[in-house]
Amino acid sequence: MLLVTVCLWGFNFTVTKYVLTHGFRPLAYSSLRYAGAAMLFSGLTYRLEGRLSVRRRDLPLLLLAAAVGIWINQLTYMYAVKLTTATTVALILGTTPIFAALIARAVGLERLSRLFWAASVVSFVGVALVALGSGGGLSGDVGGDLLAILAAATWAAYSVMVAPLMRSYSPYQISAFVLVAGWIPLAVTAASQLRAQDWGAIGWLDWLCLGYALLGPLVLTNILWFTAIDRVGPSRATLFANLQPFVAAIFALAILSERITALQVVGGIAIGAGILLAGSGRLRRVRSRVRPAEERVPSTKAAAR
């Protein structure tokens, strides 16, 4: 389940790049995708959980999470993929766990060791190398690189925001709410692109890609991810999830024939090394203070890519 989930997430970078170069406008595509996902996932959640309601006191945090994790994240992600390569975006988004830990530290939810700070430096050096390698320096791709960094940071912020809500709601309830709430401002922002979209230029393969992006990375992966976490625990699942940027890069290189430079290869290795280094330190701390049964809790890693 974890490997299938990682492959579905990784392939979505290639799918997104393809549709953006074959007729779809970025926000028109994203708003259609999230409209379908919001309806499908809400129906699935109601069937599984029997309710979709949330408490009034939790609305501000849920709405903020939806704005950051869906609306702003999609604005940055879609234009990052449009402006630079899918390979570059995938590698930069590998820093999401680092951003999540830094944000958790900033709001007082977690203490970070010296090992983690060293791992953060290694990962961000890797991001710099990936960005420099994307265009041989400060090229036209720099806008896409910066947006990819923002996409990683916004998804990390979303993950931190929903963590306290996991005590009161299931991952399915949270996902259903934020998909619907996040789609509303996304649709408003996309209104002009939806009106200007040349629907005649959209071929059958583009529609097939939209169907895949809706059902695979947004709906099916949530089911697979949380089912797998229940069986193996979040720590092991997160190790698999860290493969996502590298799987995505392989898909993009093989299918889109994207170019990858030596700097990007070195940067990708640095990002991966930083994540593994940070993860090993955090895992040791968790195991030192948490009983094994308590590790088996829902994770916020499920992606909305």
Side-chain angles (χ1 to χ4, degrees), residues 139-209:
S139 69
D141 285 357
V142 71
D145 299 336
L146 292 174
L147 287 172
I149 293 171
L150 286 174
T154 53
W155 189 254
Y158 164 77
S159 299
V160 174
M161 288 178 196
V162 300
L165 295 169
M166 290 288 188
R167 303 187 192 102
S168 303
Y169 305 100
S170 74
Y172 296 100
Q173 289 175 293
I174 294 172
S175 295
F177 183 92
V178 299
L179 281 172
V180 173
W183 170 78
I184 294 172
L186 181 62
V188 172
T189 308
S192 61
Q193 290 194 16
L194 287 167
R195 289 194 298 268
Q197 176 68 55
D198 181 5
W199 300 105
I202 308 300
W204 67 269
L205 187 53
D206 300 283
W207 289 113
L208 184 63
C209 287

Side-chain angles (χ1 to χ4, degrees), residues 130-141:
V130 169
L132 289 172
S134 66
L138 295 178
S139 69
D141 285 357

Side-chain angles (χ1 to χ4, degrees), residues 67-78 151-152 154-155 304-305:
V68 173
I70 303 297
W71 181 38
I72 300 175
N73 177 264
Q74 279 301 293
L75 294 179
T76 54
Y77 169 72
M78 293 302 297
T154 53
W155 189 254
R305 295 282 79 78

Side-chain angles (χ1 to χ4, degrees), residues 8 36 55-56 60 63 76 78 85 98 162 171 185 193 198 215 228 237 302:
L8 289 173
R55 288 188 288 269
R56 185 176 299 179
L63 291 173
T76 54
M78 293 302 297
T85 65
I98 302 293
V162 300
Q193 290 194 16
D198 181 5
L215 295 173

Side-chain angles (χ1 to χ4, degrees), residues 34-181:
Y34 272 81
M39 289 187 291
L40 285 174
F41 206 78
S42 295
L44 174 66
T45 300
Y46 187 78
R47 182 175 180 83
L48 292 174
E49 305 286 340
R51 66 188 182 96
L52 293 172
S53 59
V54 297
R55 288 188 288 269
R56 185 176 299 179
R57 70 170 182 268
D58 295 324
L59 276 176
L61 185 55
L62 281 164
L63 291 173
L64 180 61
V68 173
I70 303 297
W71 181 38
I72 300 175
N73 177 264
Q74 279 301 293
L75 294 179
T76 54
Y77 169 72
M78 293 302 297
Y79 280 99
V81 177
K82 180 178 175 62
L83 293 174
T84 188
T85 65
T87 303
T88 298
V89 176
L91 291 176
I92 291 177
L93 260 64
T95 59
T96 298
I98 302 293
F99 274 113
L102 292 174
I103 293 170
R105 172 65 180 87
V107 298
L109 293 179
E110 186 170 350
R111 294 180 180 179
L112 302 180
S113 66
R114 292 179 181 178
L115 179 63
F116 186 90
W117 288 111
S120 300
V121 171
V122 172
S123 289
F124 288 124
V125 167
V127 169
L129 292 174
V130 169
L132 289 172
S134 66
L138 295 178
S139 69
D141 285 357
V142 71
D145 299 336
L146 292 174
L147 287 172
I149 293 171
L150 286 174
T154 53
W155 189 254
Y158 164 77
S159 299
V160 174
M161 288 178 196
V162 300
L165 295 169
M166 290 288 188
R167 303 187 192 102
S168 303
Y169 305 100
S170 74
Y172 296 100
Q173 289 175 293
I174 294 172
S175 295
F177 183 92
V178 299
L179 281 172
V180 173

